[in-house]
Amino acid sequence: MYIFTLLGLALGLCSLSNLGSAVAATGANLISRSSTASQPQTSAQAAELTLNLGCIGLTTSSWTNVFYPNSDVYEYENRNFWSLTEVLAPSCVFRPTSAKEIGNAIKVLESTKTKFAVRGGGHMGITGANNINDGVLMVMSNMTTFQLSQDQSVLSVGPSFRWGDVYGLLEPSGLAVQGGRLSPIGVPGLLLGGGISFYGNARGFACDDIINYEIVLANGSVQDANKSSNSDLYFALKGGSSNFGIVTRFDIETFPGAKVWAGVYSVSAEYISAFLEVSTASSTTYCHECKLTKLQKATANYSINAKDPKSAVIPAVVAGDPNVAAAILFYNSDVVSFPDDLLPFTNIPSISSTLAFKTLQEFSDETAVVVVPDLNDLFASGTIRVTNYQQALTGINLIYQIFFDRIPVLYAAMPKENITIIEIDWEPLTSLWLQASAAKGPNALGLDPTQIYICYAQVVEWTGAQYDQIVYKWAAENEEAIVAATKEAGIYDPFHYMGDSAGFQIPGFYDGYGRDNEAKLEAISKKYDPKRIFQTLMPGGFKLSHRT
């Protein structure tokens, strides 16, 4: 009944020169099956119906791919997200099967001035980034290209996949690609945000391994973007997110990757209890006399002195009683264990370790246990830039100290039992990493290959949507304090890794890419999207138009 009434009411609002007759024909056909058709009573109702004209237009041109509330497909697709913060109320779900269908859909949505969102893997836990209220949710579930080139050097993969699926499908070939470190992460979101992977020290960012994008532009055309065709767009897509079109295929370099040596290494209670024994000094003041644990020193040492491009680390501390410190350790070898670069971590006594030889899919499934679905989630990112061991150690200590000193503030503002995890992670972008990235050619991220960066991420998971704003405010205040402290220490950098960033970090996000890159991205966006469709009709996520 919903769709019949909606179409009947909307017919009076539809004055589209290209779509009007088609919409009217479909509407009349549908209304003939309905017993009633009322008119909108208020301007507010009329405005709401106008938002749904895109659904009507899509229905006329692609009947089998449009789904309305209360249908099984709508309910499934509208819940197929990692975090509850992403679940909204779209007017309809559009599930295309080809780039051409997406091109036609963009024309319909532009003609009807209908707002829309696009979901690939559905892992970015930011409200409105990949879903929408009162608009069209376009889902990539049926965009399932998966093909190796004849010489197996390139994988062509569609935006429907999540990284665990990709690794599993490549496994029989003994190949790997740069992708997510957790199996549920979606292919498009990670690649369009730059892409931090376990192979960064050897290959740079995941986007650096892409040799071609197939993309649907604002005019509905399907184009390739690579070094020789639309080269400016090719540059922009390597970290520039959804500002330029809808990517329908990624062609990405493969490399041998049968097995790796990897696991989660948790630090023993003896060292956890002493983790950053600080005085009662202010959170924004670094305590030079404080005792530091071996894990911190190992992290700082690795950030500055990593020599082996096969290695990768993600140190983390999880709040608890006591706090739990651990490091995800990775080495790209099926024969070497306990490599020298990782000994500063593995020499620390531990309470548990899963280090072993395993496939990439097995490891990404293992790390995915931290991705608990159907909770409210927040990631908030930041970066420091360092040149020596002492600066790295200072920065790691500052970030830890401020974050954990402020946890009681969160506990005072909401029930402690509603918080399922509070964690801080570090992600060193070593000189190996930045040099490997630069060797592949420029990307949009704007990082200096002569520098060393350490990214960090605040992580909070909780139950109860009524506490969302409390958590957001707390994390934002944490970031303000960390920024102030790291600026004072001379190690602040404005870069944010998109995959770990929060919704409150969207305004001014591209300032962290550098003024020149931000201006270049803006110019490229206007060239390929002169009507600003992907800034206005597709408003969610990290848009160039969202400035401070």
Side-chain angles (χ1 to χ4, degrees):
M1 185 61 190
Y2 173 86
I3 183 173
F4 301 155
T5 304
L6 170 63
L7 288 170
L9 296 177
L11 285 175
L13 301 171
C14 184
S15 59
L16 306 174
S17 59
N18 294 329
L19 296 174
S21 59
V23 172
T26 301
N29 183 42
L30 290 174
I31 294 168
S32 67
R33 310 174 209 169
S34 175
S35 58
T36 61
S38 61
Q39 295 298 315
Q41 299 301 308
T42 68
S43 59
Q45 287 177 313
E48 182 179 356
L49 291 172
T50 303
L51 292 176
N52 295 322
L53 289 179
C55 292
I56 301 170
L58 291 174
T59 301
T60 65
S61 60
S62 187
W63 174 266
T64 59
N65 295 337
V66 183
F67 305 91
Y68 287 84
N70 299 321
S71 69
D72 290 343
V73 173
Y74 177 99
E75 298 303 326
Y76 168 77
E77 294 289 12
N78 195 39
R79 299 290 303 186
N80 195 13
F81 294 91
W82 161 56
S83 172
L84 291 179
T85 58
E86 302 166 280
V87 178
L88 299 175
S91 300
C92 65
V93 168
F94 174 57
R95 193 159 66 174
T97 60
S98 69
K100 183 178 179 180
E101 284 185 357
I102 293 174
N104 291 335
I106 290 176
K107 293 177 182 178
V108 170
L109 297 170
E110 194 275 328
S111 296
T112 57
K113 306 301 183 215
T114 301
K115 291 189 176 182
F116 65 100
V118 178
R119 192 208 69 216
H123 196 270
M124 182 165 281
I126 297 176
T127 301
N130 46 18
N131 202 351
I132 195 166
N133 286 320
D134 300 323
V136 174
L137 171 60
M138 187 185 304
V139 297
M140 299 291 104
S141 304
N142 287 342
M143 300 295 292
T144 56
T145 297
F146 194 94
Q147 184 175 2
L148 282 167
S149 62
Q150 189 171 1
D151 64 359
Q152 297 194 329
S153 65
V154 176
L155 172 68
S156 296
V157 60
S160 70
F161 290 95
R162 298 177 182 179
W163 286 107
D165 302 321
V166 172
Y167 301 146
L169 290 168
L170 281 176
E171 198 172 294
S173 302
L175 297 172
V177 292
Q178 280 211 86
R181 295 163 297 177
L182 310 174
S183 60
I185 292 175
V187 165
L190 180 122
L191 293 177
L192 292 173
I196 291 180
S197 85
F198 287 124
Y199 299 96
N201 282 328
R203 307 185 65 88
F205 291 92
C207 69
D208 295 324
D209 274 357
I210 298 175
I211 64 170
N212 181 73
Y213 301 85
E214 180 187 80
I215 182 171
V216 180
L217 300 178
N219 62 8
S221 67
V222 182
Q223 302 281 335
D224 284 328
N226 50 56
K227 287 184 178 180
S228 59
S229 178
N230 298 315
S231 58
D232 53 351
L233 182 59
Y234 176 61
F235 161 83
L237 291 171
K238 294 196 288 184
S241 193
S242 59
N243 288 286
F244 313 97
I246 299 174
V247 176
T248 51
R249 194 188 73 237
F250 301 86
D251 299 336
I252 186 168
E253 294 177 356
T254 65
F255 48 86
K259 282 193 173 184
V260 298
W261 183 79
V264 180
Y265 192 82
S266 300
V267 176
S268 68
E270 175 186 357
Y271 292 91
I272 297 168
S273 62
F275 195 88
L276 191 61
E277 289 184 4
V278 297
S279 68
T280 56
S282 167
S283 296
T284 58
T285 303
Y286 174 64
C287 177
H288 289 280
E289 303 302 322
C290 295
K291 294 170 65 178
L292 303 173
T293 67
K294 289 184 177 180
L295 184 63
Q296 271 190 294
K297 293 178 179 179
T299 303
N301 180 64
Y302 182 88
S303 301
I304 299 299
N305 299 313
K307 298 290 192 298
D308 195 332
K310 294 182 179 180
S311 66
V313 303
I314 309 174
V317 186
V318 182
D321 188 18
N323 296 337
V324 177
I328 295 175
L329 304 179
F330 176 94
Y331 194 68
N332 185 21
S333 173
D334 59 359
V335 294
V336 176
S337 59
F338 296 95
D340 289 347
D341 262 17
L342 301 184
L343 288 179
F345 295 95
T346 56
N347 282 339
I348 303 173
S350 69
I351 50 174
S352 67
S353 171
T354 65
L355 290 168
F357 293 107
K358 57 196 71 171
T359 66
L360 188 56
Q361 183 188 28
E362 289 171 338
F363 187 43
S364 68
D365 286 344
E366 178 185 327
T367 57
V369 299
V370 302
V371 182
V372 181
D374 298 327
L375 294 173
N376 301 289
D377 302 85
L378 176 137
F379 280 69
S381 69
T383 305
I384 58 175
R385 181 171 52 180
V386 299
T387 59
N388 57 57
Y389 171 81
Q390 187 56 53
Q391 284 186 332
L393 194 61
T394 297
I396 291 166
N397 183 30
L398 277 172
I399 295 162
Y400 175 87
Q401 184 178 345
I402 292 170
F403 183 78
F404 279 89
D405 279 358
R406 283 187 46 78
I407 288 178
V409 175
L410 185 60
Y411 287 160
M414 63 182 290
K416 187 174 180 180
E417 57 269 22
N418 282 73
I419 302 171
T420 58
I421 192 169
I422 306 178
E423 177 181 332
I424 190 83
D425 303 336
W426 290 271
E427 297 170 334
L429 304 182
T430 68
S431 59
L432 291 173
W433 190 306
L434 275 299
Q435 290 165 14
S437 177
K440 293 286 187 73
N443 59 42
L445 304 177
L447 297 175
D448 185 343
T450 68
Q451 302 295 304
I452 295 171
Y453 300 82
I454 303 175
C455 300
Y456 60 88
Q458 303 180 58
V459 183
V460 188
E461 295 181 352
W462 68 97
T463 58
Q466 67 269 35
Y467 304 115
D468 289 0
Q469 295 305 316
I470 290 173
V471 176
Y472 300 158
K473 181 175 183 292
W474 178 79
E477 290 173 348
N478 292 349
E479 180 61 12
E480 288 178 6
I482 292 172
V483 167
T486 54
K487 280 185 176 179
E488 184 178 353
I491 55 177
Y492 167 76
D493 191 89
F495 176 77
H496 294 275
Y497 173 56
M498 190 180 297
D500 289 338
S501 294
F504 64 77
Q505 296 179 308
I506 290 176
F509 177 85
Y510 292 97
D511 293 349
Y513 284 25
R515 289 184 179 179
D516 289 345
N517 267 17
E518 184 177 15
K520 189 174 180 179
L521 291 175
E522 181 71 21
I524 295 168
S525 173
K526 289 179 178 178
K527 174 183 174 182
Y528 290 95
D529 182 15
K531 294 183 179 180
R532 319 307 289 141
I533 289 172
F534 295 107
Q535 304 300 313
T536 58
L537 295 184
M538 184 184 169
F542 293 86
K543 293 303 165 67
L544 290 161
S545 58
H546 295 161
R547 294 189 173 87
T548 302

